[in-house]
Amino acid sequence: MEKGTRRSPPCHAALLAWTWLLLLSCSCTGAEITCGPCSSPSRPRLGLEQRQAPPPGSAGSRPRGSGQPLPGGEPGGSAGAGGAAGGRGPAVRSRRAAAAAGGGRGLPLAEGQRGARAQPRGPPEEGRAARLRGAEELRLGSTTFALTGDAAHNQAMVHWSGHNSSVILILTKLYDFNLGSVTESSLWRSTDYGTTYEKLNDKVGLKTVLSYLYVSPTNKRKIMLLSDPEIESSILISSDEGATYQKYRLNFYIQSLLFHPKQEEWILAYSLDQKLYSSMDFGRKWQLMHERVTPNRFYWSVAGLDKEPDLVHMEARTADGHTHYLTCRIQECSETKRTGPFSRSIDISSLVVQDEYIFIQVTTGGRANYYVSYRREPFAQIKLPKYSLPKDMHIISTVENQVFAAVQEWNQNDTYNLYISDTRGVYFTLALENVKSSRGLEGNIIIDLYEVAGIKGIFLANKKIDDQIKTFITYNKGRDWRLLQAPATNLRGDPVVCQLPFCSLHLHLQLSENPYTSGSISSKETAPGLLVATGNIGSELSYTDVGMFISSDGGNSWRQIFEEEYNVWFLDWGGALVALKQTSVPIRHLWVSFDEGRSWSKYSFTSTPLFVDGSLVDSGIETQIMTVFGHFSLRSEWQLVKVDYKSIFSRRCNKDDYQTWHLHNQGEPCVMGERKIYKKRKPGAQCSLGRDYSRTVVSEPCVCGQGDFECDYGYERHSNNQCVPAFWFSPSSLSKDCSIGQSYLNSTGYRRIVSNNCTDGLREKYMAKVEKCPGKAPRGLHILTADGKLVTEQGQNATFIILMEEGDLQRTNIQLDFGDGIAVSYANFSPVEDGIRHVYKSAGIFQVTAYAENSLGSDTAVLFLHVVCPVEHVHLNVPFVAIRNKDVNITAVVWPSKAGTLTYFWWFGNNTKPLITLESSISYVFAVEGMNTVTVQVAAGNTLIQDTKEIAVHEYFQSQLLSFSPNLDYHNPDIPEWRQDIGKVIRRALAQVTGIPDEQILVAVFPGLPTSAELFILPHKNTTEMRKSSEADLEQVVEILFNALNQNLVQFELKPGVEVIVYVTQLTLAPLVDSSTGHSSSAMLMLLSVVFVGLAVFLIYKFKRKIPWINIYAQVQHDKEQEMIGSVSQSENAPKITLSEFTDPEELMDKELDTRVMGSISTIANSESTKEIPNCTSV
């Protein structure tokens, strides 16, 4: 969800390079020439999509939508009020910069305009205009001043204090596009309306490089300059309109500023590292408010709505890592002082505070839910038609106690549907489908909707119909739309053949992002009914064959005034118009009209043609001065031309100079329930209106008719103009807030358009009826988690939300059973509106049950919640070597062990699909010889961990336990990586001593101390067909290896001076035990045999006899640990290893401490036992 904004750049947006104009953020550039929020500093802008005040030439007009992405996207200026209040100025980029950047000469294309323009007609400077008056050249009084020494500077920021002030400040800069920073700057100041300028570099510091100029919105005598952060972080403050400055060092880098709409000393500063600071002395001292604030999501309090004037609304990340909506006072913003008006976490970049409304977005179960607070009341979920299923949402306008929202629905890509709300901003109904959208320079969404200034209820929109874009107009806030009637004649007076609906007038609805141009459409609060726009006549909107059109009656009829694009501004409170041609060649003329564009007078404003970069025009300043700035050539200094148009007005207007104008909609005198008559100057009267000029003469209500009512929520307008319930809506469904004994408003399917002032007539018929609440049994009970997830962590708060579609909230008992033996009960829904929190102390799957009951019935809802303990590590236990086509047991050991319900994904070899189990072990048969890869992934909630091992799969093999000289234990860190590396070293050493190929040798080092390992002797590859000969070959390999090991020939250097010897491990033989209970001669014989063997073993052990090639096993005694006896050929320093020192059997996967031959191999001379399945695991 995004916020409605104008096309002008947001005030604390990120740095942004344009084709010809580098906007480094917004600066207030004069009393009326300001970035969006400057003209309405008290109005924080929306995070759903921001609305800003109009640029020059269209002040007072309402913007079309232009958004900043909410969750995931890149915000575009939601800090609104303050940025405006003193936002960074849009830098005017010179034509030299345009040429350097490849942009060539000429003014920039406004956002939304396409590169192609109409081909010039007639003289290159003039084009064809509506009835040029007089052949002689008229001249306006003007003076030109050159900013000497700034020829290389390619950007300028201009501030004019405006009313009752003659001060103009200009900051010029050299922006290095390669370095991405400002390398030079100059500050100029004029005290005579721009006749002369003084350079102030010595007053701010000759070595100081300035990057931004800010102006307080409440006291324009207060100026703040920002130094370039690449050089130093400091601010310079002036309280005398820039005459003198004080410099203050900062310990942070400012990205944007937000000035308080009322208190001139209060400022919020947002740093590059996402920290929010506050100052109560105009930037002299700063205090940290929060360290993790979302860019452009902080707002000052709104007067009349927030109790404290120093309250700040912000979106910030809290310690739990989630994003929350927080409020605090600027001097009391510690963690304990912050409050959360919305109890749950919200989507990032979704907080918007605008006028009476606060909007947030919460995504649950993959679907976005939008919430609104009206006049700081508790948040309510926004109700769109049930199946709109929005992908994106922008709040376009919140004026006049109503919300305009643009919603991109599930089946739309480049268009949006326009919705309009009730007063509280909760219930929305469709106003217009398929409104054109485009992408702004910052990546924000631009909705082609324009609100006409000066007359409420009139909007223009560009709608897509069958791949064509057509312009529509409404006079009742979107209830009815119609195409624009094309002009009856062209500039030559020839009839225009254009019949509705096949042909009509189409307009570009982009507002200028550059405050020094007028944009493609403009209107003014002080000139109601007067609109000037760029457009074309035809079947659809065109970007090539365009001209300028004007309407004097609020869009009912139009006239063409130019055949090419011009910048047109309002002079004298809207009583006159001034036009400058948009051209890439130098010009020296402008045009002025006193009769609403019917005729134009041509004036020269400079003797030398000027490449115009922009103009500073204030339609309301009584000094009647405009400033045109540009260059005489691509290499000249900035030229500032002060144009005094006072001489074109002969006198002040008197009552004989006015006429009346009736507002109407195609002849219907009632617009928005009112009949209005305006007063305007008679065409041709060259008199000035003045500040005290009154425009509205008569305003009286009309009798309510059908056009004053729109369909209520849940209803749709059919072809017979009747509102009927949508298929998904049940009109009989009562409000859940309606309790027995109370009353509710039962909708008739209609609601009066907000701000419509009609009376009587159909009002009584269509207004909602008051009825008694009959009471209802609970129905449609739902239980869900606050974050929309069905998994939570043990020990963390789980918040449950209980919803009910029908029933009496105040008289319905609620019980919630958490499934772990704990349940809570409530007498009504009031305590559970913000959610019910619970902490689970153990992991598992819990059935959470909600039960609602009143005197009329009951309902139940169930949710299964997975409570997990975060898993941190998984270890895959697999055999190092396995027999082909025989079951292999594989186990995943997870830590911590009690992690709740886990899901195991087993991947074998190159299989593209895993085997999925809820058990930690699996049995698998490997059919292919060679190295096989096994991977296990363990999923617990949002956590996914994995481990991978390799298994050598063969038809048969042999193995032998290995031990090492004791010095290896000292260097054993007992970690898997070390064991793997040591195994590779032993393998190489064996191959080097014996000459056996290393692919026939595998070594697995076991965990724990003393260090031990297992040697695997593998057959040659592809020997399955020659089994018997291969088995004999394998026995020869075993003999060679054992000889080398028993002769202490296998050793390796662990590090300089540390030689490690590898031995064959010899173990004692366990005595036989007769398990039968009977007595027989054979049993006695067996017993005697066992005694004899036991005596022999005892004697061998007692005298430590070393008998070669015999593996001797001893029974483990509890009173004395048995020692291992090596072979005769071992040296005296061979290690003696006790059985208790061996690795835990669980780690070795029931590893038997014996030597063995794998497969169907006969026992060899060293008494190795034969086994079919390996029982040792790799580690």
Side-chain angles (χ1 to χ4, degrees):
M1 182 162 60
E2 300 184 355
K3 170 178 187 176
T5 92
R6 303 201 56 130
R7 302 288 307 213
S8 49
C11 285
H12 41 308
L15 301 187
L16 182 64
W18 285 16
T19 305
W20 73 280
L21 173 66
L22 187 79
L23 284 186
L24 300 176
S25 79
C26 275
S27 147
C28 291
T29 56
E32 297 287 331
I33 317 301
T34 64
C35 77
C38 293
S39 62
S40 183
S42 65
R43 189 166 287 160
R45 305 306 171 205
L46 235 134
L48 310 160
E49 187 169 276
Q50 278 190 234
R51 169 171 55 77
Q52 295 177 348
S58 56
S61 63
R62 299 297 179 190
R64 68 193 183 106
S66 153
Q68 53 191 35
L70 264 129
E74 191 174 318
S78 60
R88 303 174 176 178
V92 177
R93 184 174 167 195
S94 71
R95 299 180 185 280
R96 296 186 308 280
R105 298 180 178 178
L107 289 172
L109 294 178
E111 183 180 343
Q113 293 175 326
R114 303 302 186 260
R117 296 180 180 271
Q119 295 300 316
R121 300 184 181 90
E125 184 184 331
E126 298 179 11
R128 187 183 300 274
R131 212 156 59 87
L132 291 176
R133 182 182 296 164
E136 74 282 358
E137 178 175 288
L138 304 175
R139 182 169 180 83
L140 291 171
S142 64
T143 59
T144 301
F145 187 89
L147 302 184
T148 307
D150 291 353
H153 292 190
N154 52 16
Q155 292 180 354
M157 302 171 70
V158 185
H159 164 68
W160 186 5
S161 291
H163 183 60
N164 294 331
S165 175
S166 60
V167 173
I168 299 177
L169 287 174
I170 296 181
L171 172 63
T172 64
K173 302 178 292 184
L174 173 59
Y175 184 85
D176 191 309
F177 291 92
N178 294 321
L179 298 177
S181 62
V182 179
T183 57
E184 292 180 17
S185 66
S186 295
L187 183 64
W188 300 81
R189 184 173 186 263
S190 172
T191 57
D192 51 12
Y193 298 103
T195 303
T196 60
Y197 288 85
E198 176 190 4
K199 197 170 187 177
L200 303 182
N201 284 24
D202 56 336
K203 294 187 178 181
V204 299
L206 293 175
K207 295 184 178 181
T208 301
V209 177
L210 303 174
S211 57
Y212 297 108
L213 181 152
Y214 291 86
V215 183
S216 169
T218 54
N219 183 356
K220 294 186 178 180
R221 294 180 58 84
K222 291 192 171 183
I223 311 294
M224 182 179 291
L225 300 172
L226 227 62
S227 65
D228 190 84
E230 296 292 330
I231 300 174
E232 63 175 335
S233 181
S234 61
I235 58 174
L236 293 94
I237 298 173
S238 173
S239 298
D240 52 10
E241 291 187 283
T244 60
Y245 292 90
Q246 293 175 299
K247 191 173 185 178
Y248 296 87
R249 299 275 184 178
L250 300 175
N251 58 3
F252 63 95
Y253 296 100
I254 293 178
Q255 179 175 320
S256 61
L257 294 178
L258 186 64
F259 289 79
H260 194 279
K262 301 293 183 182
Q263 300 291 333
E264 61 186 54
E265 296 283 315
W266 296 0
I267 310 175
L268 296 177
Y270 188 73
S271 67
L272 292 175
D273 55 356
Q274 297 191 341
K275 295 179 181 178
L276 186 64
Y277 296 83
S278 64
S279 174
M280 300 188 74
D281 56 4
F282 203 73
R284 293 170 177 84
K285 289 186 251 182
W286 296 92
Q287 178 175 326
L288 178 64
M289 293 186 66
H290 202 291
E291 294 186 341
R292 298 176 298 275
V293 176
T294 306
N296 305 320
R297 304 297 172 176
F298 49 94
Y299 310 85
W300 280 112
S301 61
V302 179
L305 296 174
D306 295 302
K307 295 179 180 178
E308 298 88 4
D310 62 341
L311 188 74
V312 176
H313 304 263
M314 70 180 80
E315 179 190 295
R317 295 188 309 280
T318 52
D320 60 4
H322 294 99
T323 304
H324 289 266
Y325 164 36
L326 303 175
T327 60
C328 66
R329 304 180 68 175
I330 55 178
Q331 296 299 314
E332 299 176 4
C333 203
S334 62
E335 190 165 351
T336 57
K337 297 287 187 180
R338 300 169 190 155
T339 59
F342 190 76
S343 59
R344 291 179 277 156
S345 61
I346 66 175
D347 292 353
I348 190 169
S349 296
S350 70
L351 174 66
V352 174
V353 181
Q354 179 166 309
D355 298 323
E356 291 86 0
Y357 303 91
I358 299 176
F359 300 90
I360 55 174
Q361 176 178 319
V362 179
T363 299
T364 303
R367 183 178 295 181
N369 299 293
Y370 307 103
Y371 294 83
V372 62
S373 169
Y374 175 64
R375 299 190 64 83
R376 307 305 185 259
E377 295 174 357
F379 279 90
Q381 186 171 351
I382 289 177
K383 300 294 185 181
L384 292 165
K386 186 173 183 179
Y387 295 108
S388 65
L389 305 178
K391 295 190 297 185
D392 189 22
M393 183 174 182
H394 300 256
I395 303 300
I396 304 300
S397 170
T398 55
V399 298
E400 297 178 344
N401 296 322
Q402 191 171 37
V403 181
F404 263 91
V407 176
Q408 187 172 62
E409 302 188 9
W410 62 274
N411 57 352
Q412 294 177 305
N413 293 315
D414 57 352
T415 61
Y416 282 71
N417 288 348
L418 186 64
Y419 285 87
I420 192 166
S421 78
D422 60 349
T423 299
R424 296 180 61 245
V426 175
Y427 293 97
F428 284 78
T429 57
L430 182 65
L432 184 65
E433 291 184 299
N434 294 321
V435 178
K436 174 183 174 291
S437 69
S438 58
R439 184 71 66 174
L441 294 177
E442 300 170 59
N444 55 327
I445 297 297
I446 308 300
I447 309 298
D448 266 24
L449 177 72
Y450 180 82
E451 184 175 2
V452 177
I455 305 173
K456 66 180 180 181
I458 302 181
F459 288 82
L460 291 159
N462 282 328
K463 179 179 179 179
K464 186 175 183 180
I465 303 176
D466 297 331
D467 294 327
Q468 291 185 324
I469 305 300
K470 300 176 182 287
T471 302
F472 287 78
I473 190 170
T474 178
Y475 287 82
N476 50 14
K477 277 195 170 181
R479 183 195 184 277
D480 302 295
W481 296 84
R482 60 177 172 82
L483 293 167
L484 296 179
Q485 179 65 58
T489 60
N490 60 20
L491 285 178
R492 303 173 184 82
D494 301 326
V496 173
V497 180
C498 184
Q499 185 175 358
L500 292 173
F502 310 103
C503 174
S504 60
L505 176 64
H506 308 284
L507 304 177
H508 293 274
L509 304 180
Q510 294 84 14
L511 301 182
S512 175
E513 293 200 38
N514 177 9
Y516 310 113
T517 61
S518 65
S520 61
I521 185 169
S522 58
S523 58
K524 195 161 186 65
E525 198 83 33
T526 57
L530 194 60
L531 289 90
V532 181
T534 303
N536 66 280
I537 300 171
S539 60
E540 64 176 322
L541 184 66
S542 171
Y543 297 94
T544 54
D545 187 15
V546 296
M548 299 298 298
F549 297 85
I550 192 168
S551 174
S552 301
D553 54 5
N556 281 282
S557 61
W558 294 82
R559 305 183 308 276
Q560 188 171 5
I561 54 175
F562 295 106
E563 287 186 332
E564 297 176 80
E565 291 185 72
Y566 279 71
N567 285 303
V568 180
W569 292 279
F570 293 80
L571 301 179
D572 186 34
W573 308 97
L577 299 173
V578 61
L580 269 174
K581 186 179 179 182
Q582 294 186 23
T583 178
S584 58
V585 300
I587 60 175
R588 52 186 292 267
H589 295 101
L590 54 78
W591 284 262
V592 177
S593 174
F594 295 93
D595 53 7
E596 298 176 338
R598 292 177 176 84
S599 62
W600 294 84
S601 298
K602 179 181 177 182
Y603 290 85
S604 65
F605 64 91
T606 177
S607 56
T608 304
L610 183 73
F611 288 100
V612 176
D613 291 319
S615 300
L616 199 58
V617 182
D618 192 312
S619 63
I621 298 301
E622 295 181 352
T623 52
Q624 298 171 332
I625 290 173
M626 63 181 292
T627 301
V628 180
F629 38 93
H631 298 81
F632 289 139
S633 70
L634 294 179
R635 299 185 180 277
S636 70
E637 289 88 359
W638 289 90
Q639 304 293 326
L640 304 178
V641 182
K642 170 189 171 183
V643 180
D644 188 343
Y645 57 87
K646 188 186 307 180
S647 60
I648 66 176
F649 297 103
S650 58
R651 54 185 171 78
R652 291 293 294 268
C653 294
N654 55 48
K655 63 180 181 179
D656 296 328
D657 294 311
Y658 298 105
Q659 66 181 18
T660 58
W661 168 66
H662 296 253
L663 173 64
H664 65 94
N665 175 14
Q666 289 188 319
E668 169 56 49
C670 289
V671 176
M672 290 295 289
E674 285 184 293
R675 182 180 291 105
K676 284 194 172 183
I677 301 177
Y678 294 90
K679 181 177 65 173
K680 62 170 62 176
R681 184 173 47 194
K682 290 180 180 178
Q686 290 189 224
C687 58
S688 60
L689 298 176
R691 179 186 291 271
D692 56 353
Y693 164 58
S694 177
R695 290 155 187 83
T696 305
V697 179
V698 176
S699 177
E700 58 184 21
C702 297
V703 175
C704 293
Q706 268 204 334
D708 299 308
F709 293 87
E710 61 190 358
C711 291
D712 205 349
Y713 174 77
Y715 291 80
E716 297 173 338
R717 188 176 303 281
H718 282 218
S719 56
N720 59 1
N721 211 25
Q722 298 296 310
C723 295
V724 298
F727 74 93
W728 50 265
F729 182 70
S730 174
S732 62
S733 61
L734 304 176
S735 169
K736 297 185 292 293
D737 297 323
C738 189
S739 184
I740 297 177
Q742 297 178 343
S743 300
Y744 74 103
L745 291 175
N746 188 13
S747 175
T748 61
Y750 299 84
R751 67 186 185 193
R752 191 171 63 161
I753 298 171
V754 176
S755 301
N756 187 294
N757 294 325
C758 73
T759 60
D760 302 327
L762 295 177
R763 182 177 180 182
E764 182 66 26
K765 176 182 177 181
Y766 286 152
M767 69 185 303
K769 311 302 181 186
V770 178
E771 296 185 11
K772 292 291 185 181
C773 299
K776 274 202 168 188
R779 189 184 70 81
L781 190 68
H782 301 280
I783 178 172
L784 60 150
T785 58
D787 57 4
K789 300 176 182 176
L790 297 179
V791 61
T792 188
E793 291 185 5
Q794 175 186 332
Q796 299 292 324
N797 264 322
T799 302
F800 298 97
I801 306 298
I802 301 177
L803 303 174
M804 188 170 63
E805 295 179 6
E806 289 187 12
D808 186 346
L809 293 180
Q810 298 304 315
R811 295 176 180 269
T812 299
N813 300 321
I814 298 297
Q815 180 178 337
L816 184 63
D817 186 341
F818 298 109
D820 61 350
I822 300 176
V824 293
S825 298
Y826 300 93
N828 55 55
F829 262 83
S830 297
V832 304
E833 290 178 349
D834 293 332
I836 303 172
R837 293 180 177 85
H838 182 65
V839 176
Y840 287 90
K841 297 181 179 179
S842 60
I845 302 177
F846 297 90
Q847 177 177 314
V848 185
T849 305
Y851 180 75
E853 181 183 27
N854 62 20
S855 59
L856 300 175
S858 62
D859 197 8
T860 304
V862 174
L863 176 147
F864 292 93
L865 184 70
H866 291 243
V867 179
V868 298
C869 179
V871 290
E872 300 181 11
H873 179 70
V874 59
H875 176 75
L876 188 59
N877 280 340
V878 299
F880 203 84
V881 182
I883 300 294
R884 186 171 71 92
N885 292 329
K886 293 201 173 182
D887 285 340
V888 178
N889 292 324
I890 302 171
T891 302
V893 181
V894 177
W895 190 89
S897 58
K898 296 181 179 180
T901 303
L902 305 177
T903 304
Y904 297 83
F905 300 86
W906 307 89
W907 304 81
F908 294 94
N910 295 324
N911 291 347
T912 57
K913 293 183 178 181
L915 300 176
I916 303 174
T917 69
L918 296 179
E919 300 295 332
S920 61
S921 61
I922 191 173
S923 179
Y924 189 77
V925 175
F926 292 92
V928 180
E929 286 191 81
M931 299 303 295
N932 286 259
T933 301
V934 180
T935 298
V936 64
Q937 293 180 324
V938 184
N942 294 326
T943 305
L944 186 67
I945 58 176
Q946 77 173 37
D947 190 20
T948 300
K949 293 291 173 60
E950 285 189 335
I951 300 179
V953 178
H954 291 276
E955 194 76 21
Y956 56 91
F957 60 87
Q958 294 192 28
S959 72
Q960 172 67 46
L961 295 179
L962 303 178
S963 56
F964 307 92
S965 53
N967 57 350
L968 182 60
D969 293 344
Y970 179 78
H971 300 281
N972 184 353
D974 198 21
I975 59 174
E977 294 87 345
W978 184 87
R979 292 193 290 269
Q980 292 174 7
D981 289 340
I982 291 297
K984 294 176 183 177
V985 171
I986 299 170
R987 181 183 180 186
R988 288 196 299 268
L990 285 167
Q992 183 176 359
V993 170
T994 62
I996 297 172
D998 57 3
E999 62 264 19
Q1000 285 190 259
I1001 303 172
L1002 288 178
V1003 177
V1005 180
F1006 301 132
L1009 295 175
T1011 308
S1012 59
E1014 185 165 11
L1015 168 64
F1016 296 90
I1017 303 100
L1018 309 176
H1020 284 290
K1021 295 181 179 179
N1022 303 321
T1023 58
T1024 304
E1025 302 298 330
M1026 307 166 57
R1027 176 71 180 261
K1028 290 186 177 179
S1029 61
S1030 297
E1031 290 177 1
D1033 292 342
L1034 188 63
E1035 291 180 5
Q1036 293 180 7
V1037 172
V1038 171
E1039 188 74 24
I1040 295 172
L1041 286 171
F1042 281 13
N1043 285 335
L1045 289 167
N1046 285 321
Q1047 296 176 32
N1048 297 340
L1049 298 179
V1050 181
Q1051 52 188 315
F1052 60 90
E1053 186 178 53
L1054 185 65
K1055 59 188 298 186
V1058 180
E1059 291 286 341
V1060 179
I1061 302 175
V1062 185
Y1063 307 108
V1064 172
T1065 301
Q1066 303 292 339
L1067 299 179
T1068 57
L1069 181 64
L1072 298 175
V1073 178
D1074 184 10
S1075 59
S1076 65
T1077 57
H1079 298 278
S1080 66
S1081 59
S1082 60
M1084 293 299 295
L1085 182 60
M1086 178 65 71
L1087 180 60
L1088 290 174
S1089 301
V1090 170
V1091 170
F1092 178 80
V1093 173
L1095 181 61
V1097 170
F1098 174 77
L1099 292 173
I1100 293 173
Y1101 173 76
K1102 184 68 176 177
F1103 297 98
K1104 294 183 169 55
R1105 299 284 302 275
K1106 299 180 181 178
I1107 301 175
W1109 295 110
I1110 295 180
N1111 290 332
I1112 304 172
Y1113 291 76
Q1115 182 180 13
V1116 178
Q1117 304 295 328
H1118 293 291
D1119 56 342
K1120 183 176 180 180
E1121 293 182 338
Q1122 302 299 315
E1123 296 178 347
M1124 291 186 181
I1125 300 175
S1127 64
V1128 171
S1129 61
Q1130 288 178 331
S1131 63
E1132 290 298 322
N1133 62 352
K1136 297 177 181 179
I1137 305 175
T1138 62
L1139 291 176
S1140 62
E1141 293 175 320
F1142 270 87
T1143 306
D1144 186 273
E1146 273 188 47
E1147 295 183 10
L1148 298 180
M1149 296 295 292
D1150 301 320
K1151 175 180 171 337
E1152 292 181 11
L1153 300 179
D1154 64 337
T1155 56
R1156 52 201 176 275
V1157 179
M1158 297 303 180
S1160 55
I1161 307 176
S1162 59
T1163 306
I1164 60 177
N1166 63 352
S1167 302
E1168 291 179 300
S1169 60
T1170 63
K1171 298 184 77 73
E1172 289 291 330
I1173 302 176
N1175 52 13
C1176 294
T1177 59
S1178 64
V1179 292

